């Protein structure tokens, strides 16, 4: 592949389609990093057609702890119901989160806006934790659901994982761009169908603060 190939908007999705169509009857094991239940819905629904999926919740960025627990409970609620619907076991691995290590790694960056360099480093941090788990537990493939979100850049996420794959060559990275084919919209529909809690901020305390400021501003505008 060349850098020019990667400029193509459909490049990562096409890589995904080519890979799954080459699997035939094989069902390799896949470790799927999930940031929350709603983002998991659509990627899981298509991946289960081709892989034996284990979901990994590796998200020390989510604050405060009550919110972390709520998102994890939501994800468990979905997995339990969806596993019954598909009549398939879908194991879940929950990371032993080191919230303090995450905070220390990012405290210098707290003035960045959501979507800036801090976010790319945050994605890399979580994917690195999950990829290491996948490789050390002999999974055939690793990927993350995060490319489903329109707020998260698919190319950068794929490039982060492409670099991680060099560190863990025994576990292949499954290229993906789950936004394609209306992935985000389909995910929202599934989340509604299962009555899942949908958070309104990304996860870290600065993103919560940004969201609260936005809501305050909107409220003030409404009140004139
Ligand atoms: S806004 Fe989201 S992606 Fe960015 S640093 Fe915070 S939790 Fe991580």
């Amino acid at each position: 592949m060349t850098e020019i190939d990667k400029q193509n908007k459909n490049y990562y999705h096409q890589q995904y389609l080519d890979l799954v169509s080459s699997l035939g009857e094989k069902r390799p094991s896949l470790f799927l990093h999930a940031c929350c239940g709603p983002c998991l819905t659509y990627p899981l629904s298509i991946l289960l057609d081709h892989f034996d999926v284990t979901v990994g919740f590796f998200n020390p960025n989510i604050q405060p702890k009550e919110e972390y627990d709520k998102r994890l409970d939501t994800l468990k609620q979905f997995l339990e119901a969806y596993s019954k619907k598909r009549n398939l076991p879908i194991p879940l691995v929950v990371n032993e989160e080191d919230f303090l290590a995450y905070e220390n790694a990012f405290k210098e960056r707290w003035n960045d806006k959501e979507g800036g360099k801090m976010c790319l480093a945050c994605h890399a941090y979580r994917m690195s934790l999950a990829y290491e788990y996948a490789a050390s537990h002999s999974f055939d493939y690793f990927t993350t659901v995060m490319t489903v979100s329109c707020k998260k850049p698919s190319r950068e996420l794929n490039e982060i994982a492409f670099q991680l794959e060099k560190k863990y060559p025994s576990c292949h990275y499954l290229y993906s761009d789950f936004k394609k084919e209306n992935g985000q919209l389909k995910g929202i529909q599934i989340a509604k169908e299962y009555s899942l809690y949908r958070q309104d901020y990304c996860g870290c305390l600065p993103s919560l603060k940004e969201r609260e400021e936005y809501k305050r501003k909107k409220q003030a505008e409404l009140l004139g």
Side-chain angles (χ1 to χ4, degrees), residues 61 102 106 110 114-115 118-120 122-123 126 152 202-204 206-207:
N61 57 318
Y102 175 85
F106 287 87
W110 278 157
E114 183 176 346
M118 180 176 83
C119 295
L120 288 183
C122 172
H123 302 327
R126 290 180 280 152
K152 297 192 170 63
C202 186
C204 61
S207 66

